[in-house]
Amino acid sequence: PPAIIAQPTNQIVWLGGTATFAVTTTNATAALYQWRFNNAPIGGATNSILSCINAQASQAGGYSVVVANASGSVTSQVAALAVTLPTPPQMLPLT
């Protein structure tokens, strides 16, 4: 069965930024990838890399991937995505 040797890592991005999750496997001959968001499959997310482009607050949460081949499957650890707002500039008083 496939084995995960590099897990996806936690990400913090600004609202509208891009987060990229990746997994590296061994024994991944003819491997199939299925990314999940909060344990629900993400439609069309079937590569070893997942990019969240133009990240929104609704995308904050846990991401994991199931890697499978004819010999079995393995699920990655959950990586957290946090989407933050930029800090507004400080207004200085007029003197």
Side-chain angles (χ1 to χ4, degrees):
I4 295 174
I5 58 173
Q7 298 281 344
T9 58
N10 296 337
Q11 305 280 313
I12 300 172
V13 298
W14 297 115
L15 183 69
T18 299
T20 301
F21 297 100
V23 66
T24 304
T25 60
T26 61
N27 301 327
T29 303
L32 302 172
Y33 298 87
Q34 178 58 69
W35 286 92
R36 296 177 174 201
F37 173 62
N38 293 335
N39 290 321
I42 302 170
T46 56
N47 295 307
S48 61
I49 297 173
L50 173 69
S51 293
C52 297
I53 300 169
N54 190 23
Q56 300 299 305
S58 62
Q59 293 174 293
Y63 289 82
S64 61
V65 62
V66 176
V67 184
N69 65 14
S71 299
S73 66
V74 63
T75 302
S76 73
Q77 68 185 23
V78 175
L81 173 60
V83 180
T84 63
L85 294 173
T87 303
Q90 295 288 328
M91 299 299 290
L92 299 176
L94 297 174
T95 57

